[in-house]
Amino acid sequence: SEPIRSFAAACGVPLEFEAVDPATWGEKKATTPFGGLPLLTLDDGLVVAQEKAIITYIAETANKAGANPKEKLLIRMIDEALADAAAGWMLSELADDEKRKTHQAKVETILEKIAVYVGDQFAVGSSFTSADAVIWYSVQRYSFLFEGLKVPAKLATISDNFAKIEGAAKWIGSPEFPKAFLPAFMPFVKDNAYLMKRIADTSK
């Protein structure tokens, strides 16, 4: 549910979260709109899905979706570019040194290209938007997945600034925040020596 939870916290949008028990996910999966998580239940009872759609809804609700068409375009572009960084490879491949280096190079290249378009303090405009949350999450997650990841200075600043927003900082500093970004109980994680080492290293 990250970066939804951090973005909602930064925006001051109250959301009640319910974790799904892995033991019951199999039967619950068939009841979801598209067979996946996260889900958001609206005030009228409508259950919607898809992370990007939910983040956009929160952004529109909190007036953090961009001040004009150009800003909205840049937010969408950044979001899609970061999605491209995760495309074409699987977490299970990170146990292979050569594949991991190839995937890391791809991520670093996309981060460098995004850095050309962002501001010095915020991703878009003069305040944080959903793009800042997605950049923060991507920097944190990829830094966890790839030891020694090269993060462009502007993206590092944007990530740091987002993490300092009062609501976001409170959530990130809470015991419930998923420090490792990956659940160690999942088979593809617990059977992967590299990922388990990253969890151990980043949990210290």
Side-chain angles (χ1 to χ4, degrees):
S1 59
E2 294 293 341
I4 293 172
R5 297 183 72 170
S6 298
F7 183 51
C11 292
V13 174
L15 293 179
E16 293 184 14
F17 293 92
E18 179 183 354
V20 176
D21 186 344
T24 62
W25 168 239
E27 58 187 63
K28 185 176 179 61
K29 182 176 181 179
T31 68
T32 66
F34 301 103
L37 298 172
L39 304 174
L40 175 66
T41 302
L42 302 182
D43 292 339
D44 62 2
L46 180 67
V47 178
V48 297
Q50 305 299 343
E51 181 179 276
K52 291 178 173 50
I54 293 172
I55 289 177
T56 299
Y57 174 79
I58 293 171
E60 293 286 358
T61 300
N63 195 29
K64 292 293 184 180
N68 53 58
K70 180 180 178 180
E71 289 189 7
K72 293 178 186 293
L73 169 65
L74 290 172
I75 290 170
R76 184 62 181 268
M77 182 192 72
I78 291 169
D79 194 26
E80 292 186 10
L82 287 170
D84 287 345
W89 56 276
M90 298 183 293
L91 291 173
S92 59
E93 296 177 333
L94 300 185
D96 182 296
D97 290 346
E98 290 306 313
K99 289 182 179 179
R100 186 170 66 251
K101 290 177 182 178
T102 298
H103 301 328
Q104 179 171 343
K106 175 185 177 181
V107 169
E108 290 177 343
T109 297
I110 289 178
L111 293 180
E112 289 173 359
K113 291 181 177 180
I114 290 173
V116 174
Y117 289 91
V118 301
D120 292 330
Q121 300 299 318
F122 301 103
V124 174
S126 57
S127 182
F128 78 91
T129 64
S130 57
D132 296 75
V134 175
I135 287 173
W136 166 80
Y137 173 70
S138 297
V139 168
Q140 299 305 310
R141 185 168 188 266
Y142 288 129
S143 293
F144 161 73
L145 291 176
F146 301 109
E147 186 174 6
L149 180 77
K150 297 177 183 177
V151 178
K154 288 206 292 185
L155 297 192
T157 297
I158 289 169
S159 177
D160 290 343
N161 287 345
F162 178 80
K164 292 175 183 176
I165 297 170
E166 183 177 0
K170 184 176 180 180
W171 160 239
I172 295 168
S174 71
E176 293 80 14
F177 179 73
K179 301 295 189 295
F181 288 88
L182 279 177
F185 61 78
M186 296 186 71
F188 77 89
V189 177
K190 68 180 183 180
D191 295 337
N192 188 312
Y194 173 78
L195 292 178
M196 290 303 293
K197 182 178 183 301
R198 293 300 295 145
I199 290 175
D201 289 346
T202 56
S203 298
K204 295 177 181 178

